[in-house]
Amino acid sequence: MSGYPLDIGLATRTDPARVLEEMKRLAVEQLGTLPHNLAQGVEKTLQASAGGPSFEEQGALQLLRQHGASHVMRFRQQIASGFDEFRGPLSRTAGAELNLIDEQHLDLHLTGQRLAEMLEQRYQRPLEVMKQRLGSVSSALGTHVGPNPVAPARLVGAFISTYGDLELPAAFHGVMFRQYQLALGRVLDELYVRINATLATAGYGADVASRRTTPLPSSRPWNEQALEPPATRQPDPPLARSPGAEAAAEISMAAPVVSSRLAGELMSLRSQLHARRRQAAEIDTDAHRRAMQRRPLQSRDVLTIASVMQSEPPDTFARALAASGRLADVVRDQMLEGARRLGLGADGLRLGEQEEDAIDLVSMLFESLFRTHTLEDRARRVYGRLVLPYVKVALAGDALFVQPQHPARRLLDAVTEACEGNDAATPHDRELLERASAVSQRVVAEYNEDMAVFELAHAELEALLVQQRRRGEMQESRAAKATFGRERLAQARAMADAALDTHFAARPLTSAVAEFLSAPWRHHFVQTLLRDGDECERVQQIRALGHALVEVDALAEQARGRELADRLVALQPSIVLCLGSLGLDENAARHGVAMLVRDLATPDTERRRQAVTPLAGDEPANDDPKLWLAGGTATVPHDPGVAAVIRRLQPGEWLRMVDPQGEACSVKVAWVSPLTSRLLLVNRRGMRVLVAAPEELAAMVASGGVMLGGERTPFSEAMRQLRQRLDHAVGQH
């Protein structure tokens, strides 16, 4: 391998002062708008509260508005000064005055302390990594380690320094803290990732590597030397790596969350891959014998070849993704072609078992992503660019497959989220596709064993995906409200129709009474049910009016004029109210009453049995009218056990569904109806896919249209499909 080193030059650390300035820029840029957003959030919260803001709270809001610009400036200065203190912590003892703190300010500081402790716990891992990296920066500056300028305690302190002098109600301070907590959560997720990545790329954090004595199992390379005891193992040839690469690799391994379940599944997958190769060798023994006579390429040679070919156009891999099962063969062919181009002699070479594993796993992973997610053709070039970088990640170790928070794993999830179902129909969808393409090009251009590249690419794409998720949540909410509204309307109409059917079944009626009950009375009944519920007194009065009109019709038929007149006079206000619900003014409503009285005045008016006619538009629109059965139904053939499992699903759980075009897609349970127990299923963009009862979904499970047990992230779901594919392939032989 020594004859073919990777083309990476030895780099030095970036000037620490420049690194701190870049960190300051990021922090001020992302945190500096919080005061402005905070004031808006507080105002919306108080406006949405019962009764709206009190007089005292309105005054506090006015005070926030008046000093909004100064609050933004003061807060930004507080953030910036944290970096100055880090360079040289100022002494706080000389000349310090001890003052008593009033009760309000004491409560403010105690609340801030609780918020800081909660944020410290939430962001414990990235803060520990940042602390170690900032220690390296301090060493480079030749100063003592100062306080982390973006630590939660520092950010809470900046908040208190900005707003602590305002005379605000105690409850108002509580609302402000809650809004500040929400705003920080939205910013810190991205900010901490970007600051850690900036430090790693600049070369700070190598001291963490020196403190590590025992490498994690997931960080060992897949080669034969990794199996040798440490005492007898020969060191690898020195490989030039930038400090940023070392820092990113080591820090990304700092206290990594390695899933024992995923590690066990990976061992099983590799065993199945080996079994499949043995089966293929038994079928074609001559080809296997010739292949085994060739010299295996060393891991470092394979990495070099992949690095050289990484920047080439992705068309070959993009075309292979269109044909299931072809990608791994294409990658092998390209690697051997690369070996020939580098002068290694492809005719006498073969790939080792570990390299075969890495290529097979990555290829099947990418193919599974296309099989299990609705990825458009235009996304193939994005994924085609990423094939070789991910092969390199897999060659470096098994961390990609056993660490749920591995940067490359998170990036692939983000790219899939951006591309799934994205037909570029809207400007935002086009922007997402362009950003996904840009980050894939960034990985190709910059990745050379430095995991920070994946972190930065993920942070860049994640910033846009956050907006998409918020839009998706709004779409889910609108879809749930619309569905619930239709259900309530259908329920109210069903109750009104049942009551109307009771009246029609009682006796033959004149057309005037039948028309009144069918239109204004039924409409008024439905509107009152929707507005007040079925237990309210007004609904009972409307029911009573319906019964009374049937009795009035009977009095008219019997020519009992005086009783008829008395009843109609008593019923007139209720009748006018029903007619008014149709939008008639008082004169028109009284005219309608007169027409009703005129028809009832003649005893021999024709009377006949009436039938309830459904109103036009009673049936809600649905993509599949066969799947709209309110409340579920036992008439659909289904497995009761599967239906019981579906009833236990909660919002946020994922399923797999085959759309009408036969393509599988991920769907999420967004809402479960409290009226009918139907489930609202949406895609990753929050758009409604289906609304169906548990029994209907159980029938779809039996027909293969729905698969239970979908994974939450695209990477995990693709790995699950990969396992099933290997189970099937190995089990067939």
Side-chain angles (χ1 to χ4, degrees):
M1 174 61 203
S2 59
Y4 303 94
L6 289 176
D7 187 16
I8 309 174
L10 182 61
T12 58
R13 283 178 170 176
T14 305
D15 177 13
R18 289 179 55 193
V19 175
L20 286 176
E21 284 301 317
E22 175 63 15
M23 290 173 57
K24 181 199 288 189
R25 185 191 66 77
L26 285 172
V28 172
E29 179 183 284
Q30 296 199 28
L31 294 167
T33 59
L34 288 186
H36 176 70
N37 298 334
L38 177 70
Q40 292 182 335
V42 170
E43 185 170 2
K44 288 181 181 178
T45 299
L46 294 176
Q47 293 289 353
S49 62
S54 65
F55 179 78
E56 192 177 28
E57 289 169 338
Q58 288 177 353
L61 282 173
Q62 184 64 26
L63 193 61
L64 279 184
R65 296 190 197 102
Q66 290 175 351
H67 299 280
S70 62
H71 290 158
V72 171
M73 183 177 298
R74 187 185 306 174
F75 186 78
R76 291 169 71 93
Q77 288 172 347
Q78 287 288 327
I79 299 300
S81 66
F83 291 88
D84 298 331
E85 292 181 17
F86 176 81
R87 288 188 177 94
L90 301 176
S91 174
R92 297 183 178 272
T93 57
E97 296 182 1
L98 298 178
N99 296 315
L100 293 177
I101 300 178
D102 61 33
E103 186 174 347
Q104 177 176 341
H105 283 80
L106 180 60
D107 290 339
L108 192 65
H109 282 273
L110 289 175
T111 305
Q113 184 179 356
R114 288 194 294 270
L115 174 57
E117 290 173 352
M118 187 200 69
L119 292 172
E120 289 276 1
Q121 187 174 17
R122 174 179 175 181
Y123 294 104
Q124 179 181 2
R125 186 182 175 195
L127 286 171
E128 287 177 353
V129 172
M130 198 183 304
K131 179 180 178 181
Q132 295 167 339
R133 288 177 167 173
L134 289 173
S136 298
V137 174
S138 295
S139 299
L141 287 170
T143 63
H144 295 293
V145 179
N148 185 342
V150 289
R154 174 74 201 184
L155 299 180
V156 172
F159 172 83
I160 295 175
S161 297
T162 302
Y163 295 100
D165 294 337
L166 293 178
E167 296 297 329
L168 300 175
F172 195 89
H173 270 138
V175 176
M176 290 181 66
F177 263 112
R178 285 193 292 274
Q179 290 297 319
Y180 188 59
Q181 174 184 339
L182 293 173
L184 275 180
R186 288 191 289 267
V187 173
L188 292 186
D189 287 339
E190 178 184 350
L191 178 63
Y192 283 169
V193 168
R194 293 187 66 178
I195 286 181
N196 269 324
T198 299
L199 287 166
T201 305
Y204 293 95
D207 56 326
V208 181
S210 65
R211 286 197 286 268
R212 181 175 299 285
T213 56
T214 306
L216 292 164
S218 59
S219 65
R220 292 197 301 248
W222 282 351
N223 54 40
E224 297 172 2
Q225 290 181 339
L227 303 177
E228 299 176 9
T232 60
R233 178 176 171 183
Q234 297 298 318
D236 289 333
L239 178 66
R241 296 181 62 186
S242 68
E246 294 177 359
E250 289 299 327
I251 294 301
S252 65
M253 295 298 178
V257 179
V258 178
S259 168
S260 56
R261 177 182 64 84
L262 294 179
E265 290 176 354
L266 180 61
M267 290 180 62
S268 176
L269 286 175
R270 295 178 70 183
S271 297
Q272 288 179 311
L273 287 173
H274 300 165
R276 191 175 68 166
R277 292 193 200 110
R278 286 195 298 271
Q279 292 168 356
E282 292 171 359
I283 295 174
D284 193 346
T285 55
D286 291 339
H288 176 69
R289 185 171 57 253
R290 289 193 301 270
M292 295 306 295
Q293 292 173 352
R294 298 172 181 169
R295 178 173 64 85
L297 277 167
Q298 296 296 317
S299 295
R300 289 296 179 186
D301 290 331
V302 177
L303 281 171
T304 300
I305 296 168
S307 297
V308 170
M309 303 184 65
Q310 181 171 292
S311 59
E312 295 186 357
D315 301 322
T316 302
F317 299 132
R319 287 193 296 270
L321 282 170
S324 181
R326 283 280 302 141
L327 183 57
D329 293 336
V330 171
V331 173
R332 291 188 185 91
D333 292 343
Q334 291 295 308
M335 298 298 284
L336 293 175
E337 172 63 18
R340 184 190 64 77
R341 285 160 52 185
L342 289 176
L344 297 177
D347 293 339
L349 297 174
R350 63 178 174 85
L351 295 169
E353 186 171 68
Q354 303 291 354
E355 289 69 39
E356 291 273 6
D357 285 352
I359 292 172
D360 280 339
L361 286 170
V362 171
S363 299
M364 295 177 73
L365 168 67
F366 275 58
E367 289 174 343
S368 293
L369 283 170
F370 272 84
R371 184 180 293 110
T372 57
H373 297 79
T374 52
L375 297 172
E376 305 289 337
D377 287 340
R378 69 187 70 198
R380 295 188 193 279
R381 284 184 63 84
V382 175
Y383 287 84
R385 291 190 196 98
L386 296 174
V387 169
L388 286 182
Y390 275 80
V391 168
K392 289 169 60 178
V393 173
L395 286 170
D398 55 3
L400 173 67
F401 302 101
V402 301
Q403 291 181 12
Q405 295 300 315
H406 191 278
R409 187 179 184 126
R410 295 174 65 200
L411 175 61
L412 202 57
D413 282 335
V415 169
T416 304
E417 185 178 349
C419 294
E420 184 177 17
N422 190 340
D423 56 1
T426 67
H428 179 71
D429 286 343
R430 288 193 291 274
E431 185 181 8
L432 264 178
L433 281 178
E434 291 169 1
R435 185 71 60 86
S437 179
V439 298
S440 69
Q441 291 171 348
R442 178 174 190 166
V443 169
V444 167
E446 300 179 12
Y447 174 58
N448 218 334
E449 303 185 44
D450 184 355
M451 286 297 111
V453 173
F454 289 97
E455 290 182 359
L456 290 170
H458 174 262
E460 183 179 341
L461 184 56
E462 182 70 12
L464 202 58
L465 286 173
V466 167
Q467 301 175 22
Q468 174 183 290
R469 295 189 195 109
R470 290 174 185 164
R471 273 189 287 267
E473 291 169 0
M474 293 173 61
Q475 290 282 4
E476 289 180 26
S477 178
R478 284 196 288 265
K481 289 178 181 177
T483 303
F484 189 45
R486 287 197 296 267
E487 287 189 345
R488 291 187 65 233
L489 178 60
Q491 184 186 59
R493 284 175 170 173
M495 293 176 65
D497 287 352
L500 182 63
D501 187 65
T502 300
H503 299 324
F504 283 176
R507 61 184 312 281
L509 298 173
T510 61
S511 60
V513 171
E515 289 173 5
F516 182 86
L517 290 173
S518 296
W521 180 85
R522 177 162 59 167
H523 180 269
H524 189 45
F525 193 4
V526 169
Q527 295 302 312
T528 306
L529 281 172
L530 291 173
R531 185 172 54 251
D532 302 329
D534 60 345
E535 299 296 332
C536 73
E537 183 180 353
R538 290 209 296 171
V539 170
Q540 304 310 318
Q541 292 172 352
I542 297 171
R543 289 183 184 274
L545 174 63
H547 288 293
L549 286 173
V550 174
E551 294 173 358
V552 163
D553 194 281
L555 293 175
E557 185 178 20
Q558 297 166 15
R560 296 162 63 179
R562 181 173 294 279
E563 294 180 55
L564 173 63
D566 291 342
R567 293 295 299 275
L568 284 174
V569 170
L571 293 175
Q572 182 174 344
S574 297
I575 295 173
V576 170
L577 189 62
C578 280
L579 292 168
S581 71
L582 290 176
L584 302 177
D585 59 23
E586 185 174 356
N587 290 333
R590 292 189 181 281
H591 178 71
V593 172
M595 298 294 292
L596 181 62
V597 171
R598 187 196 63 185
D599 288 347
L600 289 172
T602 307
D604 58 353
T605 300
E606 180 186 3
R607 290 169 173 81
R608 57 188 178 86
R609 293 284 179 183
Q610 304 288 338
V612 178
T613 303
L615 294 175
D618 270 6
E619 290 298 322
N622 192 60
D623 296 335
D624 186 349
K626 298 190 294 296
L627 295 174
W628 190 277
L629 303 174
T633 176
T635 60
V636 178
H638 67 279
D639 184 335
V642 175
V645 171
I646 294 173
R647 286 193 195 92
R648 292 194 291 271
L649 293 176
Q650 298 296 317
E653 297 192 51
W654 289 86
L655 309 172
R656 301 289 302 161
M657 183 175 171
V658 178
D659 64 16
Q661 288 73 39
E663 295 184 357
C665 61
S666 299
V667 292
K668 182 178 71 173
V669 178
W671 173 77
V672 179
S673 170
L675 291 180
T676 64
S677 299
R678 291 186 305 164
L679 289 81
L680 168 65
L681 304 181
V682 300
N683 60 20
R684 292 191 185 275
R685 282 171 166 70
M687 303 299 294
R688 182 174 72 95
V689 176
L690 182 68
V691 180
E695 292 82 0
E696 297 170 317
L697 289 174
M700 294 180 70
V701 170
S703 66
V706 168
M707 288 77 75
L708 301 177
E711 296 284 355
R712 182 175 296 272
T713 65
F715 193 104
S716 299
E717 177 60 30
M719 289 299 294
R720 187 173 75 93
Q721 296 292 329
L722 190 158
R723 290 193 297 272
Q724 293 180 356
R725 180 179 170 187
L726 278 177
D727 288 341
H728 180 71
V730 175
Q732 278 189 333
H733 295 85

